[in-house]
Every structure is written in C-alpha cells, then in structure tokens.
Coordinates of all heavy atoms in Angstrom, one line a residue:
M574 N -73.6 -127.1 -88.1 CA -74.3 -127.8 -87.0 C -74.7 -129.2 -87.5 O -74.5 -130.2 -86.8 CB -75.6 -127.1 -86.7 CG -76.3 -127.7 -85.5 SD -77.7 -126.7 -84.8 CE -78.9 -126.7 -86.1
E575 N -75.1 -129.4 -88.8 CA -75.5 -130.7 -89.3 C -74.3 -131.6 -89.3 O -74.4 -132.8 -88.9 CB -76.0 -130.6 -90.7 CG -77.4 -130.0 -90.8 CD -78.0 -129.9 -92.2 OE1 -77.2 -129.4 -93.1 OE2 -79.1 -130.3 -92.4
Q576 N -73.1 -131.1 -89.7 CA -71.9 -131.9 -89.8 C -71.4 -132.3 -88.4 O -71.1 -133.5 -88.1 CB -70.8 -131.2 -90.5 CG -71.0 -130.9 -91.9 CD -70.0 -130.0 -92.6 OE1 -69.2 -129.4 -91.9 NE2 -70.0 -130.0 -93.9
K577 N -71.4 -131.3 -87.5 CA -71.0 -131.6 -86.1 C -71.9 -132.6 -85.4 O -71.4 -133.5 -84.7 CB -70.9 -130.3 -85.3 CG -70.2 -130.4 -84.0 CD -68.8 -130.5 -84.2 CE -68.1 -130.3 -83.0 NZ -66.6 -130.5 -83.1
L578 N -73.2 -132.5 -85.6 CA -74.1 -133.4 -84.9 C -74.4 -134.6 -85.7 O -75.1 -135.6 -85.2 CB -75.4 -132.7 -84.6 CG -75.3 -131.5 -83.6 CD1 -76.6 -130.8 -83.5 CD2 -74.8 -132.0 -82.3
K579 N -74.0 -134.6 -87.0 CA -74.2 -135.8 -87.9 C -75.7 -136.1 -88.0 O -76.1 -137.2 -87.8 CB -73.4 -137.0 -87.4 CG -71.9 -136.8 -87.4 CD -71.2 -138.0 -86.9 CE -69.7 -137.7 -86.9 NZ -69.0 -138.4 -86.0
C580 N -76.4 -135.0 -88.3 CA -77.9 -135.2 -88.5 C -78.4 -134.1 -89.5 O -77.6 -133.2 -89.8 CB -78.6 -135.0 -87.2 SG -78.6 -133.3 -86.5
N581 N -79.5 -134.3 -90.0 CA -80.1 -133.4 -91.0 C -81.0 -132.3 -90.2 O -81.6 -132.7 -89.2 CB -81.0 -134.1 -92.0 CG -80.1 -135.0 -92.9 OD1 -79.0 -134.7 -93.3 ND2 -80.7 -136.2 -93.2
V582 N -81.1 -131.2 -90.8 CA -81.9 -130.1 -90.2 C -83.0 -129.8 -91.3 O -82.6 -129.7 -92.4 CB -81.1 -128.9 -89.9 CG1 -82.0 -127.8 -89.5 CG2 -80.1 -129.2 -88.8
Y583 N -84.3 -129.8 -90.9 CA -85.3 -129.6 -91.7 C -86.1 -128.4 -91.3 O -86.2 -128.0 -90.1 CB -86.3 -130.8 -91.8 CG -85.6 -132.1 -92.3 CD1 -85.1 -133.0 -91.3 CD2 -85.5 -132.3 -93.6 CE1 -84.5 -134.1 -91.8 CE2 -85.0 -133.5 -94.0 CZ -84.4 -134.4 -93.1 OH -83.8 -135.5 -93.5
F584 N -86.7 -127.7 -92.3 CA -87.6 -126.5 -92.0 C -89.0 -126.8 -92.5 O -89.1 -127.3 -93.7 CB -87.0 -125.3 -92.6 CG -85.6 -124.9 -92.0 CD1 -84.5 -125.3 -92.5 CD2 -85.6 -124.0 -90.9 CE1 -83.3 -125.0 -91.9 CE2 -84.4 -123.7 -90.3 CZ -83.3 -124.2 -90.8
A585 N -90.0 -126.5 -91.8 CA -91.4 -126.6 -92.2 C -91.7 -125.6 -93.2 O -91.3 -124.4 -93.1 CB -92.3 -126.6 -91.0
D586 N -92.6 -125.9 -94.1 CA -93.2 -124.9 -95.0 C -94.1 -123.9 -94.3 O -94.8 -124.3 -93.3 CB -93.9 -125.6 -96.1 CG -93.0 -126.4 -97.0 OD1 -92.0 -126.0 -97.4 OD2 -93.4 -127.6 -97.4
P587 N -94.1 -122.7 -94.7 CA -95.0 -121.7 -94.0 C -96.5 -122.1 -94.1 O -96.9 -122.6 -95.2 CB -94.8 -120.4 -94.8 CG -93.5 -120.6 -95.5 CD -93.3 -122.0 -95.8
Y588 N -97.2 -121.9 -93.1 CA -98.7 -122.2 -93.0 C -99.0 -123.7 -93.2 O -100.1 -124.1 -93.6 CB -99.4 -121.4 -94.1 CG -99.2 -119.9 -94.0 CD1 -98.3 -119.3 -94.9 CD2 -99.7 -119.2 -93.0 CE1 -98.0 -117.9 -94.8 CE2 -99.3 -117.8 -92.9 CZ -98.5 -117.2 -93.8 OH -98.2 -115.8 -93.7
C589 N -98.1 -124.5 -92.8 CA -98.3 -126.0 -92.9 C -98.1 -126.5 -91.4 O -97.1 -127.2 -91.1 CB -97.3 -126.7 -93.8 SG -97.5 -126.1 -95.5
A590 N -99.1 -126.3 -90.6 CA -99.0 -126.7 -89.2 C -98.8 -128.2 -89.0 O -98.1 -128.6 -88.0 CB -100.3 -126.2 -88.4
W591 N -99.3 -129.0 -89.9 CA -99.2 -130.5 -89.8 C -97.7 -130.9 -89.9 O -97.4 -132.0 -89.5 CB -100.1 -131.1 -90.8 CG -99.7 -130.8 -92.2 CD1 -98.8 -131.5 -93.0 CD2 -100.2 -129.8 -93.0 NE1 -98.6 -130.9 -94.2 CE2 -99.5 -129.8 -94.3 CE3 -101.1 -128.8 -92.8 CZ2 -99.8 -128.9 -95.3 CZ3 -101.3 -127.9 -93.8 CH2 -100.7 -127.9 -95.1
Q592 N -96.8 -130.1 -90.4 CA -95.4 -130.4 -90.5 C -94.6 -130.2 -89.3 O -93.5 -130.6 -89.2 CB -94.8 -129.7 -91.7 CG -95.4 -130.0 -93.0 CD -94.7 -129.2 -94.2 OE1 -93.9 -128.3 -93.9 NE2 -95.0 -129.5 -95.4
K593 N -95.3 -129.6 -88.3 CA -94.5 -129.2 -87.1 C -95.4 -129.4 -85.8 O -95.6 -128.5 -85.1 CB -94.1 -127.7 -87.2 CG -95.2 -126.8 -87.7 CD -94.6 -125.4 -87.9 CE -95.8 -124.5 -88.4 NZ -95.5 -123.2 -88.6
G594 N -95.8 -130.7 -85.7 CA -96.6 -131.0 -84.6 C -96.1 -130.7 -83.2 O -96.8 -130.2 -82.4
T595 N -94.8 -131.0 -83.0 CA -94.2 -130.6 -81.7 C -94.2 -129.2 -81.4 O -94.5 -128.8 -80.3 CB -92.8 -131.2 -81.6 OG1 -92.8 -132.7 -81.8 CG2 -92.2 -130.9 -80.2
N596 N -94.0 -128.4 -82.5 CA -94.0 -127.0 -82.3 C -95.4 -126.4 -81.9 O -95.6 -125.6 -81.1 CB -93.5 -126.3 -83.6 CG -93.4 -124.8 -83.4 OD1 -94.4 -124.1 -83.7 ND2 -92.3 -124.3 -83.1
E597 N -96.4 -127.0 -82.6 CA -97.7 -126.6 -82.4 C -98.2 -127.0 -81.0 O -98.9 -126.3 -80.3 CB -98.7 -127.2 -83.5 CG -98.5 -126.7 -84.8 CD -98.8 -125.2 -85.0 OE1 -99.8 -124.7 -84.4 OE2 -98.0 -124.5 -85.6
N598 N -97.8 -128.2 -80.6 CA -98.1 -128.6 -79.2 C -97.5 -127.7 -78.1 O -98.1 -127.3 -77.2 CB -97.6 -130.0 -79.0 CG -98.0 -130.5 -77.6 OD1 -99.2 -130.5 -77.2 ND2 -97.0 -130.9 -76.8
S599 N -96.2 -127.3 -78.4 CA -95.5 -126.3 -77.5 C -96.2 -125.0 -77.4 O -96.4 -124.4 -76.4 CB -94.1 -126.1 -77.9 OG -93.4 -127.4 -77.8
N600 N -96.7 -124.6 -78.6 CA -97.5 -123.3 -78.6 C -98.7 -123.4 -77.7 O -99.1 -122.5 -77.1 CB -97.9 -122.9 -80.0 CG -96.7 -122.5 -80.9 OD1 -95.6 -122.2 -80.4 ND2 -96.9 -122.5 -82.2
G601 N -99.4 -124.6 -77.8 CA -100.6 -124.8 -77.0 C -100.2 -124.7 -75.5 O -100.9 -124.2 -74.7
L602 N -99.1 -125.3 -75.1 CA -98.6 -125.3 -73.7 C -98.3 -123.8 -73.3 O -98.7 -123.4 -72.2 CB -97.4 -126.2 -73.5 CG -97.6 -127.6 -73.7 CD1 -96.2 -128.3 -73.7 CD2 -98.6 -128.2 -72.7
L603 N -97.8 -123.1 -74.2 CA -97.5 -121.6 -73.9 C -98.8 -120.9 -73.6 O -98.8 -119.9 -72.9 CB -96.8 -121.0 -75.0 CG -95.2 -121.2 -75.0 CD1 -94.7 -120.6 -76.3 CD2 -94.6 -120.5 -73.8
R604 N -99.9 -121.3 -74.3 CA -101.2 -120.6 -74.1 C -101.7 -120.7 -72.7 O -102.6 -119.9 -72.3 CB -102.2 -121.2 -75.1 CG -101.9 -120.9 -76.5 CD -102.2 -119.5 -76.9 NE -101.7 -119.3 -78.3 CZ -100.8 -118.3 -78.5 NH1 -100.4 -117.5 -77.6 NH2 -100.4 -118.2 -79.7
E605 N -101.2 -121.7 -71.9 CA -101.6 -121.8 -70.5 C -101.1 -120.5 -69.8 O -101.8 -120.1 -68.8 CB -101.0 -123.0 -69.9 CG -101.5 -124.3 -70.3 CD -100.9 -125.5 -69.6 OE1 -100.3 -125.4 -68.5 OE2 -100.9 -126.6 -70.2
F606 N -100.0 -120.0 -70.2 CA -99.4 -118.8 -69.5 C -99.8 -117.5 -70.2 O -100.0 -116.4 -69.6 CB -97.9 -118.9 -69.4 CG -97.4 -120.1 -68.7 CD1 -97.0 -121.2 -69.4 CD2 -97.5 -120.2 -67.3 CE1 -96.5 -122.3 -68.7 CE2 -97.0 -121.3 -66.6 CZ -96.6 -122.4 -67.3
Y607 N -99.9 -117.6 -71.6 CA -100.1 -116.4 -72.4 C -101.2 -116.6 -73.4 O -101.0 -117.3 -74.4 CB -98.8 -116.0 -73.1 CG -97.6 -115.9 -72.2 CD1 -96.6 -117.0 -72.2 CD2 -97.5 -114.9 -71.3 CE1 -95.5 -116.9 -71.3 CE2 -96.4 -114.9 -70.4 CZ -95.5 -115.9 -70.5 OH -94.4 -115.8 -69.6
P608 N -102.4 -115.9 -73.2 CA -103.5 -116.1 -74.1 C -103.1 -115.6 -75.5 O -102.2 -114.7 -75.6 CB -104.5 -115.2 -73.6 CG -104.2 -114.9 -72.1 CD -102.7 -115.1 -72.1
K609 N -103.7 -116.1 -76.5 CA -103.5 -115.8 -77.9 C -103.7 -114.2 -78.0 O -104.6 -113.7 -77.5 CB -104.4 -116.5 -78.9 CG -104.0 -116.3 -80.3 CD -104.7 -117.3 -81.1 CE -104.2 -117.3 -82.6 NZ -104.7 -118.3 -83.4
G610 N -102.8 -113.6 -78.7 CA -102.8 -112.2 -78.9 C -102.2 -111.3 -77.9 O -102.0 -110.1 -78.1
R611 N -101.7 -111.9 -76.8 CA -101.0 -111.2 -75.8 C -99.7 -110.7 -76.3 O -98.9 -111.5 -76.9 CB -100.8 -112.1 -74.5 CG -99.9 -111.4 -73.5 CD -100.6 -111.6 -72.2 NE -99.8 -110.8 -71.2 CZ -99.4 -111.3 -70.0 NH1 -99.8 -112.5 -69.6 NH2 -98.8 -110.5 -69.1
N612 N -99.3 -109.5 -76.0 CA -98.0 -108.9 -76.4 C -96.9 -109.4 -75.5 O -96.9 -108.9 -74.3 CB -98.2 -107.4 -76.5 CG -96.9 -106.7 -77.0 OD1 -95.9 -107.4 -77.2 ND2 -97.1 -105.5 -77.4
L613 N -96.1 -110.3 -75.9 CA -95.0 -110.8 -75.1 C -94.0 -109.7 -74.7 O -93.2 -110.0 -73.8 CB -94.4 -112.0 -75.6 CG -95.3 -113.2 -75.8 CD1 -94.6 -114.4 -76.4 CD2 -95.9 -113.7 -74.4
S614 N -93.9 -108.7 -75.4 CA -93.0 -107.7 -75.1 C -93.3 -107.0 -73.7 O -92.4 -106.4 -73.1 CB -92.9 -106.6 -76.1 OG -94.1 -105.8 -76.2
H615 N -94.5 -107.2 -73.2 CA -94.8 -106.7 -71.9 C -94.5 -107.8 -70.8 O -94.8 -107.4 -69.6 CB -96.3 -106.3 -71.8 CG -96.6 -105.2 -72.8 ND1 -97.4 -105.3 -73.9 CD2 -96.2 -103.8 -72.7 CE1 -97.5 -104.1 -74.5 NE2 -96.8 -103.3 -73.8
V616 N -94.0 -108.9 -71.1 CA -93.7 -110.0 -70.1 C -92.2 -109.8 -69.8 O -91.4 -109.7 -70.7 CB -94.0 -111.3 -70.7 CG1 -93.6 -112.4 -69.7 CG2 -95.5 -111.5 -71.1
G617 N -91.9 -109.8 -68.5 CA -90.5 -109.7 -68.1 C -89.7 -110.9 -68.5 O -90.3 -112.0 -68.6
E618 N -88.5 -110.7 -68.8 CA -87.6 -111.8 -69.2 C -87.5 -112.9 -68.1 O -87.5 -114.0 -68.5 CB -86.2 -111.2 -69.5 CG -85.2 -112.3 -70.0 CD -83.9 -111.7 -70.4 OE1 -83.7 -110.5 -70.5 OE2 -82.9 -112.5 -70.6
K619 N -87.5 -112.5 -66.8 CA -87.4 -113.5 -65.8 C -88.6 -114.3 -65.8 O -88.6 -115.6 -65.6 CB -87.2 -112.7 -64.4 CG -86.9 -113.6 -63.3 CD -86.7 -112.8 -62.0 CE -86.4 -113.7 -60.8 NZ -86.2 -112.9 -59.6
T620 N -89.8 -113.8 -65.9 CA -91.1 -114.4 -66.0 C -91.1 -115.4 -67.1 O -91.6 -116.5 -67.0 CB -92.3 -113.5 -66.0 OG1 -92.2 -112.6 -64.8 CG2 -93.6 -114.2 -65.9
L621 N -90.8 -114.9 -68.3 CA -90.8 -115.7 -69.5 C -89.9 -117.0 -69.4 O -90.3 -118.0 -69.7 CB -90.4 -114.8 -70.7 CG -90.5 -115.5 -72.1 CD1 -91.9 -116.0 -72.4 CD2 -90.0 -114.5 -73.1
K622 N -88.7 -116.7 -68.9 CA -87.7 -117.8 -68.7 C -88.3 -118.9 -67.7 O -88.2 -120.1 -67.9 CB -86.4 -117.3 -68.2 CG -85.5 -116.7 -69.3 CD -84.2 -116.2 -68.8 CE -83.3 -115.7 -69.9 NZ -82.0 -115.4 -69.5
K623 N -88.9 -118.4 -66.6 CA -89.5 -119.3 -65.6 C -90.6 -120.1 -66.2 O -90.6 -121.3 -66.1 CB -90.1 -118.5 -64.5 CG -90.7 -119.4 -63.4 CD -91.4 -118.5 -62.4 CE -92.7 -118.0 -63.0 NZ -93.8 -117.9 -62.3
N624 N -91.4 -119.5 -67.0 CA -92.5 -120.3 -67.6 C -92.0 -121.3 -68.7 O -92.5 -122.3 -68.8 CB -93.6 -119.3 -68.2 CG -94.3 -118.5 -67.1 OD1 -94.4 -119.0 -66.0 ND2 -94.9 -117.5 -67.5
L625 N -91.0 -120.8 -69.5 CA -90.4 -121.8 -70.5 C -89.8 -122.9 -69.8 O -89.8 -124.1 -70.3 CB -89.5 -121.0 -71.4 CG -90.1 -120.0 -72.4 CD1 -89.0 -119.2 -73.1 CD2 -91.0 -120.7 -73.3
A626 N -89.1 -122.7 -68.7 CA -88.5 -123.8 -67.9 C -89.6 -124.8 -67.4 O -89.3 -126.0 -67.4 CB -87.7 -123.2 -66.7
L627 N -90.7 -124.3 -67.0 CA -91.8 -125.2 -66.5 C -92.2 -126.0 -67.7 O -92.5 -127.2 -67.4 CB -93.0 -124.4 -66.0 CG -92.8 -123.7 -64.7 CD1 -93.9 -122.7 -64.4 CD2 -92.6 -124.8 -63.5
I628 N -92.3 -125.5 -68.9 CA -92.8 -126.3 -70.0 C -91.7 -127.3 -70.4 O -92.0 -128.5 -70.6 CB -93.0 -125.4 -71.3 CG1 -94.3 -124.6 -70.9 CG2 -93.2 -126.1 -72.5 CD1 -94.7 -123.5 -71.9
N629 N -90.4 -126.9 -70.4 CA -89.3 -127.9 -70.7 C -89.1 -128.9 -69.6 O -88.4 -129.9 -69.8 CB -88.0 -127.1 -71.0 CG -88.0 -126.5 -72.4 OD1 -88.7 -127.0 -73.3 ND2 -87.4 -125.4 -72.6
A630 N -89.6 -128.7 -68.5 CA -89.5 -129.7 -67.4 C -90.6 -130.8 -67.5 O -90.5 -131.7 -66.6 CB -89.6 -128.9 -66.0
R631 N -91.5 -130.7 -68.4 CA -92.5 -131.7 -68.5 C -92.0 -132.9 -69.3 O -91.5 -132.7 -70.4 CB -93.7 -131.1 -69.2 CG -94.5 -130.1 -68.4 CD -95.6 -129.6 -69.3 NE -96.4 -128.5 -68.6 CZ -97.6 -128.1 -68.8 NH1 -98.2 -128.7 -69.8 NH2 -98.1 -127.2 -68.2
P632 N -92.1 -134.1 -68.8 CA -91.8 -135.3 -69.6 C -92.8 -135.4 -70.7 O -93.9 -135.1 -70.6 CB -92.0 -136.4 -68.6 CG -92.0 -135.8 -67.2 CD -92.5 -134.4 -67.4
K633 N -92.2 -135.8 -71.9 CA -93.1 -136.0 -73.0 C -93.1 -137.4 -73.6 O -92.0 -138.0 -73.6 CB -92.6 -135.0 -74.1 CG -92.6 -133.5 -73.7 CD -92.5 -132.6 -74.9 CE -92.5 -131.2 -74.5 NZ -93.1 -130.7 -73.3
K634 N -94.3 -137.9 -74.0 CA -94.4 -139.2 -74.4 C -93.5 -139.5 -75.6 O -92.8 -140.5 -75.7 CB -95.8 -139.6 -74.8 CG -96.1 -141.0 -75.3 CD -97.5 -141.2 -75.5 CE -97.8 -142.6 -76.0 NZ -99.2 -142.8 -76.3
V635 N -93.4 -138.6 -76.6 CA -92.7 -138.7 -77.8 C -91.2 -138.8 -77.5 O -90.4 -139.3 -78.3 CB -93.0 -137.5 -78.8 CG1 -92.4 -136.2 -78.3 CG2 -92.5 -137.8 -80.2
L636 N -90.8 -138.3 -76.4 CA -89.4 -138.4 -76.0 C -89.1 -139.5 -75.0 O -88.1 -139.5 -74.3 CB -88.9 -137.0 -75.3 CG -89.1 -135.8 -76.2 CD1 -88.7 -134.5 -75.4 CD2 -88.3 -135.9 -77.5
G637 N -89.9 -140.5 -74.9 CA -89.8 -141.6 -74.1 C -89.9 -141.2 -72.6 O -89.2 -141.8 -71.7
Y638 N -90.8 -140.3 -72.4 CA -91.1 -139.7 -71.0 C -89.9 -139.1 -70.4 O -89.8 -139.0 -69.2 CB -91.7 -140.8 -70.1 CG -93.1 -141.2 -70.7 CD1 -93.2 -142.4 -71.4 CD2 -94.2 -140.4 -70.5 CE1 -94.4 -142.8 -72.0 CE2 -95.4 -140.8 -71.1 CZ -95.5 -142.0 -71.8 OH -96.7 -142.3 -72.4
K639 N -89.0 -138.5 -71.2 CA -87.9 -137.7 -70.7 C -88.3 -136.2 -71.0 O -89.2 -136.0 -71.8 CB -86.6 -138.1 -71.4 CG -86.1 -139.5 -71.1 CD -84.9 -139.8 -71.9 CE -84.4 -141.2 -71.5 NZ -83.3 -141.6 -72.3
T640 N -87.6 -135.4 -70.4 CA -87.9 -133.9 -70.7 C -87.0 -133.4 -71.8 O -85.9 -134.0 -72.0 CB -87.6 -133.0 -69.4 OG1 -86.2 -133.1 -69.1 CG2 -88.4 -133.6 -68.2
P641 N -87.4 -132.4 -72.5 CA -86.6 -131.8 -73.6 C -85.2 -131.3 -73.0 O -84.2 -131.4 -73.6 CB -87.4 -130.6 -74.1 CG -88.8 -131.0 -73.8 CD -88.8 -131.8 -72.5
A642 N -85.3 -130.8 -71.8 CA -84.1 -130.3 -71.1 C -83.1 -131.4 -70.9 O -81.9 -131.2 -71.1 CB -84.4 -129.5 -69.9
D643 N -83.6 -132.5 -70.4 CA -82.7 -133.7 -70.2 C -82.1 -134.2 -71.5 O -80.8 -134.4 -71.5 CB -83.5 -134.9 -69.6 CG -84.0 -134.6 -68.1 OD1 -83.4 -133.8 -67.5 OD2 -84.9 -135.3 -67.7
L644 N -82.8 -134.3 -72.5 CA -82.3 -134.7 -73.8 C -81.3 -133.7 -74.4 O -80.3 -134.1 -74.9 CB -83.4 -135.1 -74.8 CG -84.2 -136.3 -74.4 CD1 -85.3 -136.5 -75.4 CD2 -83.4 -137.6 -74.4
F645 N -81.6 -132.5 -74.2 CA -80.7 -131.4 -74.7 C -79.4 -131.5 -74.0 O -78.3 -131.5 -74.7 CB -81.3 -130.0 -74.6 CG -80.4 -128.9 -75.0 CD1 -80.3 -128.7 -76.4 CD2 -79.7 -128.2 -74.1 CE1 -79.4 -127.6 -76.8 CE2 -78.8 -127.2 -74.5 CZ -78.7 -126.9 -75.9
E646 N -79.4 -131.7 -72.7 CA -78.2 -131.8 -71.9 C -77.4 -133.0 -72.4 O -76.1 -133.0 -72.5 CB -78.5 -131.8 -70.5 CG -77.3 -131.9 -69.5 CD -76.5 -130.6 -69.6 OE1 -77.0 -129.5 -69.9 OE2 -75.2 -130.7 -69.5
Q647 N -78.1 -134.1 -72.5 CA -77.4 -135.4 -73.0 C -76.7 -135.2 -74.4 O -75.5 -135.6 -74.5 CB -78.4 -136.5 -73.1 CG -78.9 -137.1 -71.8 CD -79.9 -138.2 -72.1 OE1 -80.2 -138.6 -73.2 NE2 -80.5 -138.7 -71.0
E648 N -77.4 -134.6 -75.3 CA -76.8 -134.3 -76.6 C -75.7 -133.3 -76.5 O -74.6 -133.5 -77.2 CB -77.8 -133.9 -77.5 CG -78.9 -134.9 -77.9 CD -78.3 -136.2 -78.4 OE1 -77.4 -136.1 -79.4 OE2 -78.7 -137.3 -78.0
L649 N -75.8 -132.3 -75.7 CA -74.8 -131.3 -75.5 C -73.5 -132.0 -75.0 O -72.4 -131.7 -75.4 CB -75.3 -130.2 -74.6 CG -74.3 -129.0 -74.4 CD1 -74.1 -128.3 -75.7 CD2 -75.0 -128.0 -73.4
Q650 N -73.7 -132.9 -74.0 CA -72.5 -133.5 -73.4 C -71.8 -134.4 -74.5 O -70.5 -134.4 -74.5 CB -72.9 -134.4 -72.3 CG -73.3 -133.6 -71.1 CD -72.2 -132.6 -70.6 OE1 -71.0 -132.9 -70.5 NE2 -72.7 -131.4 -70.3
K651 N -72.6 -135.0 -75.4 CA -72.0 -135.8 -76.4 C -71.1 -134.9 -77.4 O -70.0 -135.3 -77.7 CB -73.0 -136.5 -77.3 CG -73.8 -137.7 -76.6 CD -74.8 -138.2 -77.6 CE -75.7 -139.1 -76.9 NZ -76.8 -139.6 -77.8
V652 N -71.7 -133.8 -77.7 CA -71.0 -132.9 -78.6 C -69.7 -132.3 -78.0 O -68.6 -132.2 -78.6 CB -71.9 -131.8 -79.1 CG1 -71.1 -130.7 -79.8 CG2 -73.0 -132.3 -79.9
L653 N -69.8 -132.0 -76.7 CA -68.6 -131.4 -76.0 C -67.5 -132.4 -75.8 O -66.4 -132.0 -75.9 CB -69.1 -130.9 -74.6 CG -70.0 -129.7 -74.6 CD1 -70.5 -129.3 -73.2 CD2 -69.3 -128.5 -75.3
H654 N -67.9 -133.7 -75.8 CA -66.9 -134.7 -75.7 C -66.2 -135.0 -77.0 O -65.1 -135.6 -77.1 CB -67.4 -136.0 -75.1 CG -67.7 -135.9 -73.6 ND1 -69.0 -135.7 -73.1 CD2 -66.9 -135.9 -72.5 CE1 -68.9 -135.6 -71.8 NE2 -67.6 -135.7 -71.4
L655 N -66.8 -134.5 -78.1 CA -66.2 -134.7 -79.5 C -65.2 -133.6 -79.7 O -64.3 -133.8 -80.6 CB -67.3 -134.6 -80.5 CG -68.3 -135.7 -80.6 CD1 -69.4 -135.4 -81.6 CD2 -67.6 -137.1 -80.9
V656 N -65.3 -132.5 -79.0 CA -64.4 -131.4 -79.3 C -63.0 -131.6 -78.7 O -62.7 -132.3 -77.8 CB -64.9 -130.1 -78.6 CG1 -64.0 -129.0 -78.8 CG2 -66.2 -129.8 -79.2

C-alpha cells in the first residue's frame, strides 16, 4: 500500500491518545450514537453503517472543510487511474 500510494504508514503507540487526535475525535463523534460501554455486537449492521456514513459526511476543518468520504473517493480515483 505504501509503495502504490507513495506515502508512509504510521501506527500510534498503545495508550498514547495524543498520537492519534483524529481517531480520538472520531471516537467522540461515535459517542453521539453509542454511549461508552455499549456492546456494538447488539447494533445491526445496517444501523451501524448508516451512523458511520453520517459521521463521514461531516466536513472537517483539518481536511479543508471536505468530507473524509470525498477525499477517500478522490484518492481512490487517483490510484485506479495508475493501474
């Protein structure tokens, strides 16, 4: 993946929340739908996908007010055109 996308992939250290700010923010957004401690195995797949789509449809300042879904699609198109 790194070679194909010509980028580096990094992994945060365990228990180092400050290394993964976007992830922690996304977890906070998920809390709007699912309180901490809720067993997600009881949530239907359709409901979970719908709620995740709502989160990914939100424009984010860090992304220049674009949505993660929009940027993912743009990058996917770039990669597909390389093939």
Side-chain angles (χ1 to χ4, degrees):
M574 183 170 70
E575 287 180 314
Q576 291 173 351
K577 191 72 165 174
L578 296 175
K579 298 178 183 153
C580 68
N581 295 322
V582 175
Y583 300 94
F584 294 92
D586 296 315
Y588 307 104
C589 297
W591 62 90
Q592 294 180 355
K593 47 188 177 178
T595 301
N596 180 276
E597 293 297 317
N598 184 55
S599 297
N600 289 344
L602 295 173
L603 278 171
R604 295 284 171 239
E605 292 181 23
F606 301 103
Y607 309 107
K609 191 169 186 168
R611 173 134 186 226
N612 186 345
L613 293 180
S614 67
H615 296 109
V616 177
E618 185 177 346
K619 187 175 179 181
T620 302
L621 186 58
K622 283 184 178 184
K623 179 188 75 144
N624 292 338
L625 290 174
L627 288 171
I628 290 171
N629 281 331
R631 293 181 182 196
K633 300 193 181 338
K634 182 178 179 180
V635 71
L636 302 177
Y638 296 99
K639 295 180 181 177
T640 68
D643 290 340
L644 291 178
F645 179 78
E646 184 63 33
Q647 287 176 6
E648 293 303 314
L649 185 60
Q650 291 304 316
K651 287 180 193 175
V652 172
L653 292 175
H654 286 102
L655 294 175
V656 176

